[in-house]
Amino acid sequence: KQLTLLPPGSLLRPSVSASRAGARACARCGAMVHVTVQFACERQRWERRFELEGGSTIQQLKRSMLGGPAGTATPDDFDAFELRLLGRRVPDTERIQQDYTLDFVFLGPTDGAARTREDKRCEAEWAASRARSVPSPAAAPQRRDAPLVPTSAAATDVAAPAVSATPSTPAAPTAAASAAGAVVASPVAPAAARELTIEVTIDRSLGLTMSVAVPAGATILEVKNRLVSADPTGALRADAFGLAPFAVAGSGGAAPLPDATRVDAGHTRLETFEVSVPVAVAASPKQEAEESFPTAQPAPRPKDAAAQKPPSGPCWEVVGGTAQGGILVREGRSTTSTQLTERLATGAIVEELGRDGERLHYRRIWGAGPEIGWVSVSISGKDLLVPRQLSAEELFTLDRALSLQEDLMEGFSKPDFQRALRRLIQEHPDKIGTPFVRKRGELFLTVQSVVLPRYGFEGAPPGILRMMTAFGRHQGSGEVAWNNEQLNKLLQM
């Protein structure tokens, strides 16, 4: 049996271009396809491309990823990781009909085996469901395997397709059922006069339809619930789509059917439509006063945090004294003043407090050696210290780290930001999927793009990565950890 893989989520319809691309991919089953697998570990990301024959399964892709002679990989090896499309697990039995991109996620043998058992259970339920609905030979058309929809089009294009299907279009799963990995179902012949077989068209250009049998007099809501129950992942919700009579191409759209409508012989052909998200209405002053949003309480500053001030003057790096473990330091400007017992270590960074010719009055920023003293910049033409331009990461003291967190708390606490975040979560209550992650990142950036430049980081995604790297040196701070929890509370993460 053939599974159809579409991006998970709601009944978003792919564009005409995506539909035609999918049809071409289906027509060339057996041709070579390319799958890009993305990996992430800590703060590093990389990807690898695999070439397989069209129609290969995810299990065969995993075998290519594991490498080695055939038969050397154990079931535990296959179960220990999963591949995801837009945040949703792709079962090992899915077939690959065209190029797309997947994410690698390590599960471990125990969790992976549990996921595999769940996949097999869902497959068994589908097999039993199909056994109860065998079409008559005369009524069952030739089945056409539905193609994989490219992730780029599926993730971004939500326009209704302009291409219509003819009545002879083969039956295929709903877009939502396909997103969950549903089996392609053929039209079901009525088992008895008291039952109605309803053919639901999801996407005309792809020929995506599904037939369900319901008692005569059942409501539209019951039809929707039958479609929902056919989703083995449980991701589909009845309130995410509506049903309307199938409209002949060029006749205009039919009026939506209320959920309480009783189906009869005139409702044997229906089509889905996407339920629009209500447009948020600006809150009145009274409503704003009654709104309640999360609040954050910054951690108290440690006593020594203020002492770790970033340098305000030029900075120098010690490059001399390698063989001696550092360079000499004296109490005063004169080379005859008292010599300190400790040397300023090679590699130390110092701030210039004053300079007199080749003599430098410094304050140590980091590295070993005296906190304050006088050193020679060079001796006999050989550099002992060289100018050093510090990066934002190097200037990121604990005091600055805590200040940045407090500035982010202030921005994320503002009512306008909290309202926008609340609307976004209402649109995506599961908080998963590429559209949600992208929109959430864009919303976060409205605050980050203002705060980060104050601390030398770019107000864009590359600057966010640099900031996260700079925080690494302060992960042992209890104050930083407390503030992180407060930020997560504001962001509902």
Side-chain angles (χ1 to χ4, degrees):
K1 77 190 160 184
Q2 173 79 39
L3 296 181
T4 301
L5 176 64
L6 288 173
S10 62
L11 299 176
L12 295 180
R13 301 182 175 186
S15 64
V16 175
S17 60
S19 305
R20 292 173 179 169
R24 288 196 297 270
C26 192
R28 62 180 175 87
C29 287
M32 301 307 291
V33 295
H34 297 91
V35 179
T36 301
V37 179
Q38 296 181 336
F39 301 82
C41 181
E42 296 180 349
R43 295 186 178 90
Q44 297 183 1
R45 296 187 64 88
W46 67 98
E47 62 185 32
R48 185 178 174 189
R49 200 177 188 210
F50 297 87
E51 185 179 68
L52 304 98
E53 184 174 285
S56 298
T57 64
I58 292 294
Q59 178 91 350
Q60 291 169 310
L61 170 60
K62 285 186 172 183
R63 183 175 293 111
S64 298
M65 295 171 62
L66 291 171
T72 58
T74 66
D76 284 348
D77 294 329
F78 288 105
D79 294 344
F81 68 98
E82 67 181 16
L83 299 174
R84 294 182 182 179
L85 178 63
L86 299 181
R88 184 67 58 81
R89 172 183 171 89
V90 184
D92 289 353
T93 51
E94 290 284 1
R95 294 193 178 274
I96 307 167
Q97 305 291 10
Q98 67 183 70
D99 302 349
Y100 63 106
T101 299
L102 297 176
D103 292 316
F104 172 94
V105 178
F106 181 78
L107 301 173
T110 303
D111 291 344
R115 297 283 184 93
T116 300
R117 288 194 298 270
E118 180 66 13
D119 289 344
K120 291 179 179 178
R121 184 188 65 79
C122 294
E123 292 248 2
E125 290 180 1
W126 270 100
S129 175
R130 293 199 55 174
R132 293 192 297 269
S133 304
V134 180
S136 64
Q142 290 295 104
R143 196 182 81 181
R144 179 180 65 190
D145 292 332
L148 288 165
V149 175
T151 58
S152 58
T156 59
D157 198 335
V158 298
V163 180
S164 62
T166 63
S168 61
T169 300
T174 68
S178 300
V183 177
V184 177
S186 300
V188 181
R194 60 187 177 82
E195 276 197 341
L196 292 175
T197 299
I198 300 178
E199 184 180 272
V200 181
T201 298
I202 304 304
D203 192 297
R204 301 187 185 198
S205 61
L206 284 180
L208 297 180
T209 65
M210 187 174 185
S211 296
V212 295
V214 296
T219 64
I220 289 294
L221 180 59
E222 291 179 75
V223 176
K224 291 167 65 175
N225 286 335
R226 291 291 178 95
L227 297 174
V228 170
S229 65
D231 176 13
T233 68
L236 182 61
R237 302 193 317 273
D239 60 353
F241 66 99
L243 294 174
F246 184 87
V248 178
S251 65
L257 296 170
D259 284 352
T261 302
R262 300 284 180 179
V263 296
D264 54 29
H267 297 121
T268 54
R269 292 200 67 193
L270 303 176
E271 61 182 335
T272 65
F273 63 91
E274 183 184 353
V275 175
S276 301
V277 177
V279 178
V281 180
S284 66
K286 181 178 179 181
Q287 289 173 324
E288 291 181 2
E290 296 174 350
E291 286 177 323
S292 175
F293 297 120
T295 58
Q297 179 63 45
R301 293 292 182 97
K303 294 180 179 179
D304 59 343
Q308 304 174 16
K309 294 181 179 178
S312 56
C315 293
W316 298 75
E317 180 178 1
V318 179
V319 296
T322 305
Q324 296 79 23
I327 61 176
L328 294 177
V329 181
R330 297 184 179 273
E331 288 184 353
R333 178 188 60 80
S334 173
T335 55
T336 60
S337 62
T338 303
Q339 177 182 318
L340 303 182
T341 57
E342 187 179 7
R343 288 176 176 257
L344 184 59
T346 304
I349 304 295
V350 300
E351 176 189 3
E352 179 182 321
L353 301 179
R355 186 174 178 182
D356 185 358
E358 289 298 301
R359 298 291 288 168
L360 177 72
H361 189 204
Y362 76 87
R363 177 178 68 87
R364 179 172 54 83
I365 299 176
W366 66 74
E371 183 71 22
I372 295 178
W374 285 82
V375 293
S376 295
V377 174
S378 63
I379 294 179
S380 302
K382 183 178 180 180
D383 289 333
L384 299 181
L385 295 97
V386 294
R388 170 71 180 276
Q389 183 69 38
L390 299 185
S391 66
E393 290 87 343
E394 291 172 322
L395 293 171
F396 203 58
T397 62
L398 177 60
D399 190 62
R400 287 173 67 81
L402 296 175
S403 294
L404 187 149
Q405 289 180 314
E406 292 167 3
D407 288 352
L408 289 176
M409 287 183 206
E410 181 182 355
F412 291 145
S413 297
K414 291 183 177 179
D416 287 346
F417 177 89
Q418 286 294 322
R419 289 191 198 100
L421 180 61
R422 178 175 293 177
R423 289 194 296 268
L424 179 60
I425 294 175
Q426 287 173 347
E427 294 172 12
H428 303 271
D430 294 333
K431 301 182 185 180
I432 59 174
T434 297
F436 170 73
V437 174
R438 175 178 54 79
K439 292 178 182 178
R440 184 178 64 179
E442 293 172 351
L443 178 59
F444 289 179
L445 199 57
T446 61
V447 175
Q448 294 165 332
S449 62
V450 175
V451 173
L452 267 60
R454 302 174 190 168
Y455 298 86
F457 302 108
E458 182 183 357
I464 296 173
L465 293 177
R466 289 182 59 202
M467 175 197 68
M468 294 171 63
T469 301
F471 264 106
R473 59 191 283 203
H474 303 302
Q475 288 308 303
S477 165
E479 292 79 13
V480 169
W482 169 274
N483 286 347
N484 280 340
E485 292 181 358
Q486 298 297 301
L487 286 167
N488 287 339
K489 182 171 69 170
L490 290 174
L491 300 176
Q492 300 188 40
M493 296 179 67

